[in-house]
C-alpha cells in the first residue's frame, strides 16, 4: 500500500504552475472625472500627466478601502484569555492513518474512515465501537454521517460514494445493504449530505463536484470550474440553502449555486492547494486551510479575503479547519502534528495543542460546540475540550 | 463611434459647450441638439438629414444623453440640452451590464425617493430580489454606501452623475425591451464601483453568540465531555417539556434559528394557528420536503401541495401574490425539485418580516422565555480525576427503528 497521500499524479489534471497573481479589476476613470472643467490653455501632454497622477491617487484611495482587514476593525475587541486544553477521549481501533471523520447530530457519535479501508462508527462519549465496515478499496478519504443518524456515506480511491444504512443487528453485515450513489472518474475527496438523507454532495480528484439523489443514484447537478482536483467542500447555512463552497488544487475556492450549477463567486489568494473549507456560522463568510501554511477568511459580501491566519513559525500545511459555535475561534489541524487555535477577529494565535504523533488529517467541532474531534495519521482520533 | 465622440470634445475643433439651466440648477458642459447637428454637418460634410441620423445613433447608444426628457432617447434638432456620457459608462467599457449592478442601481432609486421606480423597474426589482437573493444584503449595503457618498458631492455634480447613470441604464435595460433577466446568471459578481464591507457584523455575531459557545463560556450544568455527565444533552434534546433559557433566547437571534429548532418551530406553529396563518408554515415545510426529498416522490408531493395549498378553495390556501401564483401554477405542470422555490421564498419572507417579529413580542414567546430552565452549574468534584460512569445512549438508528415498529403495530391494530 502506498504511504503517501494521493497527489496530482493520480489524476488526469497535473498540478498547474503558479499563475500570475490576479489583480483586482480596476475601473476606468471615475464618473467624477467627467465633471471637471478642461482648462483650454494647457497642452495635451500636461493634461495627460495630470490625468495619470489623478488615476494613481484614485488607486491609492481604492487600495486603502480594499485593504481594511478584520483585525483592524476588531482592535477594540477584548482579547481572549489563556486556554486550558485537554484530550478527553482517545479512540483507538483503526489499523492505519485516519483520513476523515464526521459528527452525528446527536452530538456524541462519530464516523471515521481510514487508509486501511475501514469505516468505524463510534459512540465517542463511551469510546465504544458500534459499527464497522470494510470498504473494497484503500484510502477512504471521505465519510459523512446522515442527518437522521441512520446511515453513513463514504468513498475514496474507488471513485465512488456509497451509503450504508446503520443496521441494529450486530450479526448483519453492513456491506450487504450498501448503496452505490456517486460515480466520479477519479478519487472521492469529500462528501456531505444536504439537509436530508436523500441527497449527497461530492467533490473529486476529477476536478468536479456533484449533487446526487441517494435513492436512485441519479446525478442531479454537476459543478465544473475547478482547473484541478477538488479537495473539499462545505454547505452554506443560509436561509435559502442553495449554495456551497469548494476548494481545490488550483488554489481556488469557488462558491456554487446548487440549482443552476453555476459558479457565483471565486477566490484565489492562497499560494497552494486548499485542503479544507468551512463556512463561518452566519454564512456570510468562509475559512480555508491550505498547503501554504495559512488559513484565510473570505467575506462573501465584500467579495474578498478579509483575514489571514499565519505565523512565521508555522511552516507546515493546514489539512482541516472548523469554527467554534460563535465563530470567535478557528481551529486548524496541521501537517506538523499540531492544532493551532486562532482568534478569528483579532487574527492572533491563542493556543497550540500537541498530542498527535503524526499529521492531523481531519478536524470537526461537535454540533453543539462542546468539543472538537481530530483524526490523525497516527491511527487515532482524539476528542478535545478547550476551556477559556 | 467613440472616435467621433472624442473628436466632438476636442478643445479646439470640438463642440462649443456652455452652461445649461435645468430647473434651478446650472449644469455645466452641455450643448444643444441644434449645435450637435451643425457640428456634424461641418465636420463630416454631410447633409442635415444624415447628421440627424448620425446624431440620433450617438444618443441611442448612450454616448450623448438628453437632459430635459431623459427617457426619450432621440436627438432633437433644437435648443434641447444634451451632455456627453462619461467614458466610465460607455457601453464598450462596461459591457455586459451585470445584474448585480442593475440591482444596486434600482435599490438606490428605491431608497432615494419612495415610488420613484417606474412600473417596469418595480417588476425587475422584485424579480432580481428573488433571483440573486443570496447577495441581497450586499446589494442594499452597496446602494446605501453609494448614496451616502453622493450626498457629499456638490449638487450640480450629483445631478450630472445621476443623469449619467440613468442614461446608462435606460440604454442597457430598456423598458419593455428583451428581458435580459432571461439570460443565465453567469458570474453574478460584476465590476463594482466600491466594494462593500460590513466587517463589524463579525464582531456583532461573535458577541451575540458568545454565551452560547461552550468553548468560550462553558455550558450548564456542565460540559459532558469534562464532567462525564450527560445532563446538558438530556436537557437539550429535540423535544423537552421545558427548554433551557439559552435555547429560547436563541430563537430571537434570527428567523432561521427559530425554524432550525424543532421546538421553536412547534411553538411558532402554535402562534400562527392563533393568528390563522399556520398554512404558511405548513406550506413552507411541504416545500422543504420536496426540495430535499427523493427524486421519485417529487411529482406526487407537488400534486399534494397543489391540492392542499394552491388550488382554489384549498383547505390550507396560501396567500401568494398573483404573479408568483400564476408562474407557480404554470410551472407545476412540469414538476421538478425547485418548481415551488419562488412561492416558498415569498411565504418565507412573509413570515420572517411579519409573523416572526410579532411572535417575539407575543405573550406565547415571553411566557416560554420566563418559564425556561436555567440549569444550576454542577460544582466541580472534589476529586477531579475520579471518573463517573459513562452511560451509553440509544443509537439514533434504534430510535427510528422503534418508532417504525410502533407505527406498524398501530396500523395493524387499527
Amino acid at each position: 500500500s502506498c504511504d503517501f497521500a494521493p497527489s496530482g499524479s493520480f489524476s488526469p489534471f497535473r498540478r498547474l504552475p503558479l499563475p500570475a497573481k490576479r489583480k483586482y479589476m480596476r475601473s476606468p476613470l471615475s464618473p467624477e472625472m467627467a465633471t471637471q472643467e478642461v482648462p483650454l490653455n494647457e497642452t495635451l501632454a500636461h493634461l495627460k500627466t495630470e490625468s495619470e497622477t489623478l488615476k494613481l491617487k484614485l488607486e491609492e484611495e481604492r487600495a486603502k478601502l480594499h485593504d481594511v482587514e478584520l483585525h483592524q476593525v476588531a482592535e477594540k475587541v477584548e482579547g481572549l484569555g489563556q486556554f486550558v486544553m485537554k484530550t478527553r477521549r482517545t479512540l483507538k481501533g483503526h489499523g492505519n492513518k485516519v483520513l476523515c471523520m464526521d459528527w452525528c447530530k446527536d452530538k456524541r457519535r462519530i464516523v471515521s474512515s481510514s487508509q486501511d479501508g475501514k469505516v468505524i462508527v463510534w459512540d465517542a462519549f463511551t469510546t465504544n465501537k458500534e459499527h464497522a465496515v470494510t470498504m473494497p478499496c484503500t484510502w477512504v478519504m471521505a465519510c459523512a454521517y446522515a442527518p437522521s443518524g441512520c446511515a453513513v456515506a463514504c468513498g475514496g480511491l474507488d471513485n465512488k460514494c456509497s451509503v450504508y444504512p446503520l443496521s441494529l443487528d450486530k450479526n448483519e453485515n453492513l456491506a450487504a445493504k450498501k448503496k452505490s450513489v456517486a460515480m466520479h472518474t477519479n478519487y472521492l475527496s469529500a462528501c456531505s449530505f444536504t439537509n436530508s438523507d436523500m441527497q449527497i454532495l461530492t467533490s473529486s480528484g476529477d476536478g468536479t463536484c456533484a449533487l446526487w439523489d441517494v435513492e436512485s443514484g441519479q446525478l442531479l447537478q454537476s459543478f465544473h470550474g475547478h482547473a484541478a482536483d477538488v479537495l473539499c467542500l462545505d454547505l452554506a447555512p443560509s436561509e435559502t440553502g442553495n449554495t456551497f463552497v469548494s476548494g481545490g488544487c488550483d488554489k481556488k475556492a469557488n462558491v456554487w449555486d446548487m440549482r443552476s450549477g453555476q459558479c457565483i463567486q471565486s477566490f484565489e489568494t492562497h499560494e497552494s492547494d486548499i485542503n479544507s473549507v468551512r463556512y463561518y456560522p452566519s454564512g456570510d463568510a468562509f475559512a480555508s486551510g491550505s498547503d501554504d501554511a495559512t488559513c484565510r477568511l473570505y467575506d462573501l459580501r465584500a467579495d474578498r479575503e478579509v483575514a489571514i491566519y499565519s505565523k512565521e513559525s508555522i511552516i507546515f500545511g493546514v489539512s482541516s479547519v472548523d469554527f467554534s459555535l460563535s465563530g470567535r475561534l478557528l481551529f486548524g489541524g496541521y501537517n506538523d502534528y499540531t492544532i493551532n487555535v486562532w482568534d478569528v477577529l483579532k487574527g492572533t494565535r491563542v493556543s497550540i495543542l500537541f498530542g498527535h504523533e503524526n499529521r492531523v488529517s481531519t478536524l470537526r467541532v461537535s454540533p453543539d460546540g462542546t468539543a472538537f474531534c481530530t483524526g490523525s495519521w497516527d491511527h487515532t482520533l482524539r476528542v478535545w475540550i478547550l476551556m477559556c | 463611434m467613440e472616435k467621433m465622440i472624442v473628436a466632438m470634445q476636442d478643445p479646439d475643433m470640438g463642440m462649443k459647450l456652455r452652461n445649461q439651466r435645468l430647473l434651478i440648477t446650472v449644469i455645466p458642459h452641455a450643448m444643444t441638439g441644434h449645435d450637435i447637428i451643425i457640428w456634424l454637418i461641418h465636420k463630416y460634410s454631410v447633409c442635415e438629414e444624415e447628421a440627424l441620423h448620425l446624431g440620433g445613433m450617438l444618443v441611442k447608444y448612450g454616448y450623448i444623453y438628453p437632459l430635459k426628457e431623459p427617457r426619450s432617447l432621440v436627438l432633437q434638432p433644437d435648443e434641447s440640452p444634451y451632455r456627453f456620457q462619461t467614458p466610465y459608462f460607455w457601453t464598450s467599457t462596461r459591457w455586459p451590464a451585470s445584474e448585480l449592478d442593475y440591482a444596486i442601481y434600482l435599490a438606490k432609486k428605491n431608497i432615494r425617493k419612495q415610488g420613484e421606480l417606474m412600473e417596469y423597474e418595480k417588476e425587475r426589482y422584485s424579480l432580481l430580489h428573488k433571483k440573486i437573493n443570496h447577495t441581497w444584503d450586499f446589494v442594499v449595503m452597496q446602494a446605501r454606501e453609494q448614496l451616502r457618498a453622493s450626498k457629499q458631492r456638490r449638487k450640480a455634480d450629483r445631478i450630472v452623475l445621476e443623469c449619467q447613470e440613468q442614461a446608462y441604464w435606460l440604454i442597457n435595460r430598456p423598458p419593455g425591451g428583451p428581458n435580459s433577466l432571461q439570460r443565465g446568471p453567469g458570474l453574478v459578481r460584476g465590476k463594482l464601483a466600491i466594494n462593500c464591507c460590513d466587517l463589524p457584523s463579525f464582531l456583532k455575531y461573535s458577541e451575540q453568540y458568545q454565551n452560547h459557545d461552550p468553548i468560550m463560556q462553558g455550558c450548564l450544568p456542565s460540559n459532558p465531555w469534562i464532567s462525564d455527565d450527560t445532563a446538558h444533552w438530556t436537557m437539550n434534546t429535540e423535544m423537552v417539556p421545558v427548554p433551557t433559557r439559552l435555547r429560547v433566547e436563541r430563537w430571537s437571534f434570527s428567523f432561521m434559528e427559530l425554524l432550525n429548532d424543532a421546538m421553536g418551530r412547534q411553538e411558532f406553529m402554535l402562534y400562527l394557528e392563533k393568528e390563522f396563518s399556520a398554512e404558511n408554515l405548513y406550506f413552507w415545510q411541504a416545500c422543504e420536503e420536496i426540495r430535499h426529498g427523493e427524486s421519485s416522490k417529487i411529482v406526487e408531493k407537488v400534486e399534494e401541495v397543489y391540492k392542499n395549498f394552491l388550488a382554489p378553495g384549498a383547505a390550507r390556501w396560501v396567500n401568494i401574490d398573483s404573479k408568483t401564483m400564476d408562474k407557480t401554477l404554470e410551472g407545476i405542470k412540469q414538476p421538478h425539485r425547485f418548481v415551488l422555490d419562488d412561492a416558498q421564498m415569498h411565504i418565507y419572507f412573509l413570515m420572517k418580516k411579519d409573523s416572526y417579529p410579532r411572535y417575539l413580542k407575543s405573550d406565547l414567546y415571553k411566557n416560554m422565555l420566563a418559564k425556561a430552565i436555567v440549569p444550576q452549574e454542577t460544582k466541580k468534584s472534589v476529586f477531579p480525576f475520579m471518573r463517573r460512569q459513562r452511560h451509553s445512549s440509544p443509537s439514533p438508528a434504534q430510535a427510528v427503528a422503534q418508532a417504525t415498529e410502533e407505527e406498524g403495530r398501530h396500523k395493524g391494530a387499527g
Side-chain angles (χ1 to χ4, degrees), chain A residues 24 27 106 108 126 170 178 190 215 232 241 243 247 259 286 324 366 374:
Chain A
Y24 278 106
S27 309
D106 76 350
R108 52 188 283 170
T126 58
K170 296 273 165 155
K178 160 180 166 178
E215 193 189 35
C232 50
T243 60
R259 297 173 16 163
F286 68 90
S324 73
S366 76
T374 53

Side-chain angles (χ1 to χ4, degrees), chain B residues 183-241:
Chain B
R183 271 191 266 127
L187 202 67
V188 174
R189 182 185 49 152
K191 293 182 196 166
L192 300 167
I194 312 167
N195 266 339
C196 181
C197 240
D198 188 14
L199 295 179
S201 68
F202 290 107
L203 277 63
K204 286 190 209 116
Y205 189 92
S206 292
E207 203 185 353
Q208 187 180 41
Y209 281 85
Q210 185 165 314
N211 289 347
H212 300 250
D213 187 341
I215 289 175
M216 297 292 295
Q217 209 84 0
C219 61
L220 301 169
S222 64
N223 187 325
W225 298 102
I226 301 174
S227 66
D228 289 339
D229 175 22
T230 58
H232 174 73
W233 286 334
T234 318
M235 287 182 199
N236 285 294
T237 49
E238 204 169 81
M239 291 301 188
V240 279

Side-chain angles (χ1 to χ4, degrees), chain A residues 272-288:
Chain A
S272 187
D273 302 3
I274 296 177
N275 297 313
S276 173
V277 284
R278 194 72 63 208
Y279 272 93
Y280 183 80
S282 72
D284 291 331
F286 68 90
S288 59

Side-chain angles (χ1 to χ4, degrees), chain B residues 96-112:
Chain B
S98 82
E99 282 184 337
L100 193 62
D101 288 336
Y102 189 46
I104 294 168
Y105 167 68
L106 290 176
K108 273 199 294 188
K109 264 190 129 190
N110 198 31
I111 295 170
R112 219 172 27 219

Side-chain angles (χ1 to χ4, degrees), chain A residues 109 196 215 259 301 303 326, chain B residues 138 189 213 292 296 341:
Chain A
R109 283 175 170 78
S196 78
E215 193 189 35
R259 297 173 16 163
R301 299 152 305 173
D303 193 35
S326 64
Chain B
F138 175 76
R189 182 185 49 152
D213 187 341
H292 300 295
S296 60
D341 266 19

Side-chain angles (χ1 to χ4, degrees), chain A residues 35, chain B residues 22-28 65 67 83 112 150 153-167:
Chain A
T35 61
Chain B
L22 190 70
L23 296 179
I24 52 164
T25 322
V26 173
I27 310 288
Y65 61 90
L67 284 169
R83 273 192 107 248
R112 219 172 27 219
S150 78
R153 295 193 189 108
R154 279 176 22 227
K155 187 167 183 191
D157 290 348
R158 201 183 338 141
I159 293 186
V160 159
L161 285 167
E162 280 170 13
C163 288
Q164 286 171 345
E165 202 182 9
Q166 184 181 241

Side-chain angles (χ1 to χ4, degrees), chain A residues 74-82 328 343 346 348 350 388:
Chain A
E75 250 161 44
K76 300 228 174 89
V77 175
E78 213 179 289
L80 297 169
Q82 275 290 68
R328 182 65 195 266
D343 180 334
K346 291 179 109 54
T348 52
V350 293
C388 198

